[in-house]
Amino acid sequence: MEKFQLEVFLILMNIGSASGLVYTEDKLFLIQDNSTYLYQYNFSSKNLTLIELVAEAAKSIDKKNKPDFESITLVKNQLQLFGSGSGIKRNQLFSYDLKTGKITERNIQLQHDSLQKKFDISAEDYNIEGVIFYNQKTFFFQRGNGPKAQNGVFILNDDTKETSYHPIELPELKGVKATFTDAVLVDNQIYFLAAAEKSESTYFDGEVTGTIIGRLSSETLEVEYTEKISDVHKFEGITLYQKNSNSLEFLLCEDKDSEDLKSTIYKLTIKKTTR
């Protein structure tokens, strides 16, 4: 096997460009940044189910009013769905219980505001695109695609309530800095996606110059390696699909920044490495 293999894995109709995904128990859960549905694809039945997060849920919401769901992660039996925090209507956190189907919602704007103020990151630069939970800590992946290009990781200690911010420098693709678009925890190691996009705005899209996958130390946040996986795709979601003795298989979703209600899911296979 080469360093990586990237291939089309699944095409889903009736869902626009997915922004995050979680694979668990032979099901794939997906979010869309401009929708108030949680999408569930069952591999056994090959059925796509739409789960309403709010009353009168919508498949497509205009940019100004969309919830901007960019992060979905699994904690025990709870799927956690986060808005990006990049606007007043993008501060909701939804929890979906996989056992009972119960949905809860809360607004975490105060948390976002506190992080911005403490670490001197303006509202124009603030943009959370990935969340993981590890060792009683919450990791928020800040995408540095704003005016000041502040790419990094916030860590919230769930026990002490202390917070910290760690700037992370990533490679350039065609002269454009790659910035975080998602992350996932695998065997206590952090694998992340980062896309390069010619834009200095967390609000407006720009020309995509590629995506990388990389790994961070969960203890030091050192960048242990990076690998370019595409020159043209803006991959925004990553979830572990399978682990083998020598390789890891991930499922990725892509944001095409279009109104087309079709999502292509890719499978990325990479070699396990010590560095």
Side-chain angles (χ1 to χ4, degrees):
M1 189 183 81
E2 298 178 354
K3 290 184 178 180
F4 71 92
Q5 293 178 350
L6 180 67
E7 58 192 301
V8 173
F9 179 75
L10 179 68
I11 296 177
L12 296 174
M13 307 303 294
N14 295 316
I15 171 174
S17 297
S19 54
L21 71 176
V22 166
Y23 174 76
T24 181
E25 297 180 353
D26 204 37
K27 297 181 179 68
L28 186 64
F29 292 89
L30 305 102
I31 52 173
Q32 186 181 323
D33 66 1
N34 64 341
S35 171
T36 42
Y37 283 101
L38 172 64
Y39 299 83
Q40 174 189 290
Y41 179 77
N42 188 309
F43 282 92
S44 297
S45 66
K46 301 188 186 309
N47 288 331
L48 180 67
T49 303
L50 279 63
I51 301 167
E52 291 188 346
L53 295 172
V54 297
E56 299 182 358
K59 291 183 181 179
S60 182
I61 301 171
D62 64 271
K63 197 177 189 76
K64 181 180 178 181
N65 295 298
K66 70 179 184 179
D68 204 32
F69 291 126
E70 295 289 355
S71 309
I72 178 171
T73 189
L74 180 62
V75 186
K76 297 181 180 178
N77 292 323
Q78 298 277 333
L79 284 173
Q80 305 280 324
L81 289 64
F82 291 82
S84 66
S86 61
I88 194 168
K89 298 194 175 183
R90 303 179 175 189
N91 296 302
Q92 298 308 109
L93 166 58
F94 285 85
S95 297
Y96 176 75
D97 192 299
L98 294 176
K99 302 298 183 184
T100 66
K102 181 180 179 181
I103 296 170
T104 58
E105 176 188 4
R106 62 189 178 100
N107 188 298
I108 59 170
Q109 181 175 349
L110 291 178
Q111 184 179 69
H112 290 312
D113 289 347
S114 175
L115 292 175
Q116 291 176 46
K117 182 177 181 180
K118 181 175 180 179
F119 300 107
D120 193 26
I121 296 179
S122 70
E124 290 75 22
D125 280 283
Y126 191 82
N127 187 18
I128 302 302
E129 296 245 349
V131 179
I132 64 171
F133 296 87
Y134 169 68
N135 197 24
Q136 303 302 312
K137 296 175 183 177
T138 305
F139 293 68
F140 278 6
F141 288 79
Q142 153 73 15
R143 186 179 182 198
N145 62 331
K148 294 183 179 179
Q150 293 171 287
N151 191 76
V153 181
F154 297 100
I155 298 181
L156 289 66
N157 190 306
D158 299 332
D159 289 333
T160 66
K161 307 306 178 184
E162 295 178 349
T163 57
S164 59
Y165 176 68
H166 308 265
I168 306 289
E169 285 290 323
L170 297 175
E172 292 185 355
L173 300 179
K174 299 179 184 177
V176 181
K177 282 280 189 182
T179 55
F180 289 129
T181 54
D182 203 9
V184 64
L185 189 69
V186 181
D187 296 332
N188 298 332
Q189 295 175 312
I190 299 170
Y191 289 84
F192 66 85
L193 293 175
E197 189 173 8
K198 290 183 179 179
S199 174
E200 293 185 356
S201 169
T202 62
Y203 189 82
F204 295 106
D205 302 311
E207 177 189 349
V208 176
T209 59
T211 299
I212 63 173
I213 188 169
R215 193 176 72 209
L216 293 177
S217 164
S218 57
E219 301 300 332
T220 66
L221 294 185
E222 174 192 1
V223 179
E224 297 179 333
Y225 84 89
T226 61
E227 182 77 33
K228 183 175 68 172
I229 57 173
S230 175
D231 287 316
V232 296
H233 297 288
K234 182 171 73 170
F235 291 117
E236 290 215 347
I238 183 169
T239 185
L240 181 67
Y241 180 55
Q242 290 184 356
K243 290 191 296 183
N244 302 305
S245 58
N246 298 317
S247 64
L248 297 171
E249 296 180 4
F250 297 99
L251 299 182
L252 312 181
C253 60
E254 175 187 17
D255 185 359
K256 292 184 177 180
D257 296 322
S258 75
E259 299 300 319
D260 188 19
L261 290 180
K262 180 175 74 173
S263 278
T264 302
I265 308 302
Y266 294 80
K267 184 172 76 170
L268 174 69
T269 305
I270 65 172
K271 288 183 178 180
K272 287 183 177 179
T273 62
T274 56
R275 285 294 299 171

